[in-house]
Amino acid sequence: MAPNSFLVVVLFCLVSSRFVRCRDLGNGFPGFGFERLPDEEDIEITVAYSDDYGVFRVGSVRLKDLSSSWAWQHPNGVNFTRIRNSVPAEALKSNKSGIREDVVEARQPRPPLTNPVKLQRQRTRKERRERRTAELIRQDKEKDEQMVAAAIERSRNLDTTIKGKYSIWRRDYELPNSDSTVKLMRDQIIMAKAYAAIAKSTDKSSLYDALIKNARHNQRVIGEAISDAELHPSALDQAKAMGHMLSQAKDQLYDCLTVVRKLRAMLQSAEDNVSGMRKKSAFLIQLAAKTIPSPLHCLPLQLAADYFLHPQGDVIDADKFEDTSLYHYAIFSDNVLATSVVVNSTIQHVAQPEKHVFHVVTDKLNFAAFKMWFLANPPAEATVQVENVDDFKWLNSSYCSVLRQLESARIKEYYFKANHPTSLNAGADNLKYRNPKYLSMLNHLRFYLPEVYPKLDKILFLDDDIVVQKDLTPLWSVDLNGMVNGAVETCKESFHRFDKYLNFSNPLISDNFDPNACGWAFGMNMFDLKQWRKRNITGIYHHWQDLNEDRTLWKLGTLPPGLITFYNLTYPLDKRWHVLGLGYDPALNLTEIENGAVVHYNGNYKPWLDLAVSKYKPFWSKYVMYDNPYLRSCDIRE
């Protein structure tokens, strides 16, 4: 450095795109200062800075090489600026402005070391916080997933046939802002109960009493209202008062985790209540579905009384019963009115009714009523044969597996012992299979058609809860391709396949049947009795019934053994021949119902009951002879 040069020791340098201020240490050392402004030719500035990578650098530059954007400030406040050719501020760091640079590289200083014990404690606390955070996140995620899964399951099990103020088909679900006051007050009741529980647990008795009082008042104001128009005029004032109370409760009690836990507990309790109500509902529906209404009980009594008081001889041509050139139907039922609808609806759609023969089998209790009905109301030119199942002497426990099982102590224990678990605790599925129809041989007689009609080659089996809407004569011309059973398949995607009906955890089932095999429907079935006898179908049925004596292969009923018995022996008919679901599904396509040859009220909501789906009932009622004297005397009305 030249003798007459001035050295400026820089404490720090603030660098920006347009301005830098460098301060010296002159004020800190007596005698070091500027008595005059030096010539910029002789001033050399030493600069210390960190580059973009954290490297510590030291450099120097003469004042004359700086641009006018750089300003010098004297410690005493005397400033001057020299206008030079512009040099960018970034040039200082990149060494492009004539700076002579002695580089000293050093990493940024490390934080001061602390006591090892303190470091270990810090690390332990940090790890513990991280573990706890991760555990809480995992628990919340699991609970959220459980709630989502439960919500999905509830939506799947939602019974859309239930009528009431909470039906999802109500218009207020289409219009989210409708009946807002009712919804608000119901939500307030829920929050009031949640805060009341928290207040009670924290010994805030006065707040607890106030919340409970307001919740009860809210409930009284709502009453049975399902819309804002039905609310009492004081409802809005009560909602405001409740809102004020909830605001106070929130200020005193609100803790996010506590409230969430309480709401989840309330949700779980509500789900338990819903489960209990669902069991009770299932029991009551089963009871209502299987209890005979008074008019239907009256009808067979009136008919039986007239049959015995005014005996009439049969005028039926018995030769038609075994004539294979005619069209034969089999109906097994104990319901006179339902059977009459099946016969009437079938006859109204055929071109030659004289060629159609109906073979009706009932039990001893209803035999006289059936005989009297068809004697008093013979179908036009068609033939009806009425038989009593008790007259089939060959149908006994030594031949029939079901009858033999019904005589066993195990079945008697299941159905008749008073100390057996009540049906309310048995669940909806078990309730279904406690139906007395599963003890009736009329239900199992369909597996003995060749024995009941030994001279026939083909027969069309019809349930008593169906309605015929088209001519069924073409079914006798359908080529079953060597199969025994012609039926409409019911599987859609993954629904109604074999795994729904059979226990595939049992090797007897899993080794012999495909769980994805398509199920089909009883109710309208064309049976080739020649092939039946040739393949010994009744023997197959007996074999599997004997294996299922302990009910481990399937539950009670006729469809599961039917699926097994006719496995790989069922020909799929066009779906338009048989439309199912009118007895349980209120969302069927009405066009499909109208175009169906046979509509089936399978399920609990039979058309002759008050439980029936109202929009489906006209398809059945139009074939009921409401002007018949017997129906009028028993008060059976449309």
Side-chain angles (χ1 to χ4, degrees), residues 76 136 235 248 318 401 491 498 573:
N76 296 328
L136 291 175
Q248 294 179 359
S401 300
C491 56
F498 270 43
L573 299 175

Side-chain angles (χ1 to χ4, degrees), residues 19-40:
F19 175 78
V20 63
R21 172 179 293 176
C22 296
R23 295 186 180 275
D24 59 46
L25 298 176
N27 292 335
F29 297 92
F32 185 86
F34 293 109
E35 297 299 330
R36 62 178 179 85
L37 295 176
D39 191 342
E40 66 271 20

Side-chain angles (χ1 to χ4, degrees), residues 252-306:
Q252 298 183 43
L253 303 172
Y254 184 77
D255 177 74
C256 184
L257 184 59
T258 304
V259 173
V260 168
R261 287 175 177 171
K262 183 57 187 175
L263 290 175
R264 282 177 175 166
M266 293 174 64
L267 176 62
Q268 183 63 44
S269 176
E271 289 178 346
D272 293 341
N273 291 336
V274 169
S275 178
M277 295 301 296
R278 186 180 291 116
K279 289 182 179 180
K280 293 180 181 180
S281 175
F283 172 77
L284 294 175
I285 289 175
Q286 292 289 341
L287 183 63
K290 308 312 171 187
T291 301
I292 302 175
S294 296
L296 291 184
H297 183 68
C298 165
L299 181 60
L301 292 178
Q302 291 279 3
L303 290 167
D306 283 357

Side-chain angles (χ1 to χ4, degrees), residues 18 51 246 259 287 311 336 359 444 456 519 530 548 606:
R18 295 295 299 167
D51 63 14
L246 290 176
V259 173
L287 183 63
V336 177
H359 302 270
H444 295 270
L456 300 181
K530 283 186 176 181
N548 192 48
K606 302 300 184 186

